[in-house]
Amino acid sequence: MFNKVSKGSLFPYAFWIALFVIAPIALIVYYSMLDLNGHFTLNNYKAFFTPVYLKMTLTSFWYAFLITFFTLIIAYPTAYLLTKTKHKHLWLMLIIIPSWINLLLKTYAFIGIFGLYGPINAFIKTFGLEQQQILFTDFSFIFVSVYIFIPFMIIPIFNSLNKLNPTLVYAARDLGASSFTTFRRIIFPLTIDGVKSGIQVTFIPALSLFMITRLIAGNQVITLGTAIEQQFLVSQNWGMGSTIAVFLIILMVIIMLFTGQKKGGRA
């Protein structure tokens, strides 16, 4: 009886996964094997391994790495300081609240901030310096992306740090370990799962950015996400766009496997 109940309770989840995960991926794979005329072909996969798309893939990885790196550098100390504050959950909520704002609205806000007549250039002008083109640069793209992903990196790291047993840190200090040694040998290894989760929710979406890339970086940054948008909306080549999406999904799965949490059983 319990087995029937448990199997019945799994049906909605299985239906949801089949409809919204498996079916879309199957459609993407199907369209990736069609040419512009709707005929079966594998030329799209051959085209992906040309220098143009391989360079685009490396560029996407590079920008995703930079975004993840700077996000982690900012998020980890912030999460650590939050765990030491009196009203830590209130401060965490204040950091999370900006993520509730629509992404497009935040992007347009940064267009105004980084524009030639924005507040940053107005501040620069007060020192008698010429206006700088901050928008449509690598700096503006990485800066805005890091700002967007910081809350998502902070949350899992904060949870790991908050669960850390403080007596382990006190014991390390009592045994003469320095602050750096305590962090390197105790704190960071015990919170590595939170770091891995943060990397997952930052690196994987950063690989497929296209709206921020278009609006903030213009044509200066071309990634896999913008290539998919270009193929679907401009070139109307759904086959090539789906092929890029297939490889993007494969890359995401590989990243999830490498950054997944491994829990070993006790002997």
Side-chain angles (χ1 to χ4, degrees):
M1 180 179 177
F2 288 106
N3 288 333
K4 291 181 179 179
V5 172
S6 61
K7 289 180 180 178
S9 63
L10 288 176
F11 177 77
Y13 301 102
F15 178 77
W16 181 274
I17 292 173
L19 187 63
F20 295 106
V21 178
I22 297 175
I25 292 175
L27 281 174
I28 290 172
V29 174
Y30 169 74
Y31 279 112
S32 70
M33 294 184 286
L34 299 178
D35 59 15
L36 287 170
N37 298 317
H39 300 142
F40 177 81
T41 182
L42 293 177
N43 289 333
N44 294 325
Y45 287 89
K46 293 179 182 178
F48 184 83
F49 290 98
T50 57
V52 175
Y53 288 103
L54 290 178
K55 182 180 179 181
M56 196 179 299
T57 303
L58 292 175
T59 301
S60 299
F61 263 91
W62 174 243
Y63 281 111
F65 168 77
L66 289 178
I67 292 168
T68 305
F69 175 76
F70 288 117
T71 304
L72 178 61
I73 291 298
I74 297 171
Y76 200 102
T78 304
Y80 182 79
L81 291 175
L82 283 177
T83 60
K84 302 300 180 182
T85 57
K86 185 177 181 181
H87 304 287
K88 53 187 174 184
H89 290 98
L90 174 62
W91 288 108
L92 180 64
M93 180 62 68
L94 292 176
I95 291 173
I96 295 173
I97 284 175
S99 65
W100 298 351
I101 302 172
N102 184 273
L103 180 60
L104 184 61
L105 293 177
K106 289 190 285 188
T107 304
Y108 272 108
F110 276 106
I111 291 176
I113 293 171
F114 288 143
L116 286 175
Y117 302 99
I120 293 180
N121 268 304
F123 179 74
I124 292 174
K125 204 172 181 181
T126 58
F127 294 95
L129 302 174
E130 295 183 0
Q131 292 177 327
Q132 301 295 320
Q133 179 58 274
I134 305 172
L135 201 62
F136 309 130
T137 61
D138 290 353
F139 167 79
S140 61
F141 170 63
I142 293 173
F143 184 93
V144 174
S145 300
V146 169
Y147 167 79
I148 297 297
F149 287 118
I150 277 178
F152 304 103
M153 179 73 82
I154 287 178
I155 293 171
I157 296 175
F158 173 85
N159 289 333
S160 294
L161 286 167
N162 202 37
K163 293 176 183 177
L164 181 65
N165 189 346
T167 58
L168 297 174
V169 178
Y170 300 149
R173 297 285 177 83
D174 291 339
L175 292 171
S178 63
S179 298
F180 177 74
T181 303
T182 303
F183 172 78
R184 183 173 60 88
R185 300 293 296 272
I186 304 296
I187 299 175
F188 188 77
L190 293 177
T191 57
I192 192 66
D193 286 342
V195 173
K196 287 181 179 180
S197 298
I199 290 173
Q200 278 188 3
V201 298
T202 303
F203 191 92
I204 292 176
L207 272 178
S208 56
L209 287 174
F210 70 92
M211 185 180 68
I212 296 176
T213 310
R214 285 294 188 194
L215 296 177
I216 300 296
N219 293 322
Q220 300 299 318
V221 177
I222 304 297
T223 61
L224 291 176
T226 53
I228 293 172
E229 179 204 25
Q230 182 83 14
Q231 294 294 338
F232 273 97
L233 301 182
V234 180
S235 303
Q236 296 293 310
N237 189 347
W238 286 31
M240 194 63 224
S242 297
T243 302
I244 300 171
V246 167
F247 282 101
L248 191 58
I249 292 170
I250 293 172
L251 292 173
M252 289 178 179
V253 171
I254 293 172
I255 293 165
M256 289 179 69
L257 291 175
F258 271 101
T259 57
Q261 298 179 12
K262 298 178 181 179
K263 295 182 179 180
R266 292 182 179 179

